[in-house]
Amino acid sequence: MSIAVSLRPSAIVPAMASPPHISVQGLGKSFPTTGAPAVALRDIDLDIARGEFVSLIGHSGCGKSTLLNIIAGLTPATEGQVLIDGAPVTGPGPDRAMVFQNYSLLPWLTVHGNVFEAVDAVHRDKSAEEKHAIVDDFLAKVGLAPHRDKKPAQLSGGMRQRVAIARAFAVHPAVLLLDEPFGALDALTKGTMHEELMRMWSGDAWTETVLMVTHDIREAVYLSDRIVVLTNGPAATIGHVLDVPIPRPRDKRTIIHDPVWTGLLDRLLYLLEVEYRQEL
């Protein structure tokens, strides 16, 4: 199902004759109710190649975050399975890191402390000095070194999200899972965060594959190699998968003139506003 695509200028994505990095097989998720179980997801089959950036998009209630949580190991599937490098996902693991829309920072810890908490939990084989060096390195990468001793309440929303992204990258996950990470940010801050994410991802030797939930079609096209459109819930499934054949690196100043860009935006608008229109 996946296509071998060059994600980063220096990256080589193997042909799909190789096993996928993430394989979602026959996945379904139901939640108990007082009556019949509520079916959130059904018949989800999706292979993601190592090194791909894939976005999940669809209307509210279609199960995007539920699917992401299952891949993260935070929620069990009712049917089917998720494999990462061929091994079934049975719970959270250090090979995956997640960034949430609400930052999920510990308010009593400093910027440095929030990132160190994650690094300390994952890199148990490293000395305290090495762990602090990792934290300092990633805070510098997101431009937060001067703010290392501040608490989350002293930061803007964009700065808090930078802390969350630095924390995720600092544990060196093979898979980065993003649940609407920029949804609460203003347009200018969101654009800056897109560039920060791409810069860190392209330079990180560990984080290979990214799966992101978003409602923003421009964000999905700009960042992704493929966009997975889910049908409306309940019992949502994959409706369409769109390739994004726009070469990397991508420049927002020129990409808006690319007919592929405008064509993909038009296609996504049609799918979301016509084919999968959500009745109010």
Side-chain angles (χ1 to χ4, degrees):
M1 187 170 185
S2 296
I3 294 178
V5 206
S6 179
L7 290 186
R8 319 176 208 188
S10 61
I12 298 176
V13 179
M16 282 309 294
S18 302
H21 193 181
I22 304 172
S23 183
V24 182
Q25 302 176 351
L27 189 138
K29 178 62 180 178
S30 300
F31 294 95
T33 68
T34 53
V39 180
L41 295 167
R42 62 174 178 84
D43 304 326
I44 303 291
D45 291 291
L46 179 66
D47 284 347
I48 299 175
R50 187 178 305 279
E52 270 195 293
F53 193 123
V54 175
S55 286
L56 302 174
I57 200 165
H59 291 294
S60 296
C62 72
K64 303 181 299 295
S65 293
T66 299
L67 177 55
L68 203 71
N69 286 333
I70 292 171
I71 294 171
L74 301 175
T75 301
T78 307
E79 299 175 349
Q81 64 178 347
V82 176
L83 305 177
I84 295 184
D85 284 331
V89 169
T90 58
D95 58 333
R96 285 152 283 147
M98 197 158 179
V99 177
F100 300 91
Q101 182 177 350
N102 62 356
Y103 321 124
S104 298
L105 302 179
L106 300 175
W108 59 88
L109 292 180
T110 63
V111 166
H112 186 281
N114 266 279
V115 180
F116 184 85
E117 189 83 1
V119 172
D120 187 47
V122 172
H123 297 302
R124 297 188 178 277
D125 59 327
K126 297 185 181 297
S127 67
E129 183 179 356
E130 290 174 312
K131 294 174 187 177
H132 284 295
I134 291 171
V135 174
D136 289 337
D137 178 46
F138 279 92
L139 289 181
K141 286 179 178 178
V142 296
L144 288 177
H147 308 280
R148 69 191 305 277
D149 296 321
K150 291 182 179 179
K151 301 286 183 65
Q154 299 173 285
L155 306 176
S156 67
M159 292 169 75
R160 292 178 196 174
Q161 200 60 298
R162 288 186 186 206
V163 178
I165 288 175
R167 180 178 60 187
F169 274 100
V171 301
H172 299 320
V175 177
L176 183 63
L177 303 170
L178 306 173
D179 192 0
E180 295 193 68
F182 314 121
L185 304 179
D186 63 85
L188 291 177
T189 305
K190 180 185 288 191
T192 300
M193 293 305 301
H194 289 165
E195 300 307 320
E196 291 288 351
L197 174 63
M198 289 294 97
R199 183 176 59 81
M200 290 183 66
W201 179 47
S202 64
D204 194 297
W206 292 271
T207 302
E208 300 169 309
T209 305
V210 181
L211 184 60
M212 179 179 72
V213 166
T214 181
H215 281 101
D216 186 334
I217 62 172
R218 287 174 176 79
E219 177 175 82
V221 175
Y222 178 65
L223 296 176
S224 307
D225 294 290
R226 285 190 301 153
I227 301 169
V228 177
V229 184
L230 274 70
T231 62
N232 292 338
T237 192
I238 293 175
H240 288 77
V241 180
L242 307 183
D243 294 318
V244 184
I246 301 175
R248 295 184 188 273
R250 297 169 182 171
D251 187 336
K252 285 186 176 179
R253 295 168 297 181
T254 59
I255 197 175
I256 59 173
H257 305 294
D258 190 325
V260 176
W261 164 267
T262 54
L264 283 166
L265 293 180
D266 287 345
R267 179 62 173 154
L268 284 169
L269 280 173
Y270 173 82
L271 290 173
L272 295 172
E273 294 186 359
V274 178
E275 189 155 346
Y276 304 129
R277 181 177 180 177
Q278 196 170 48
E279 298 298 332
L280 300 178

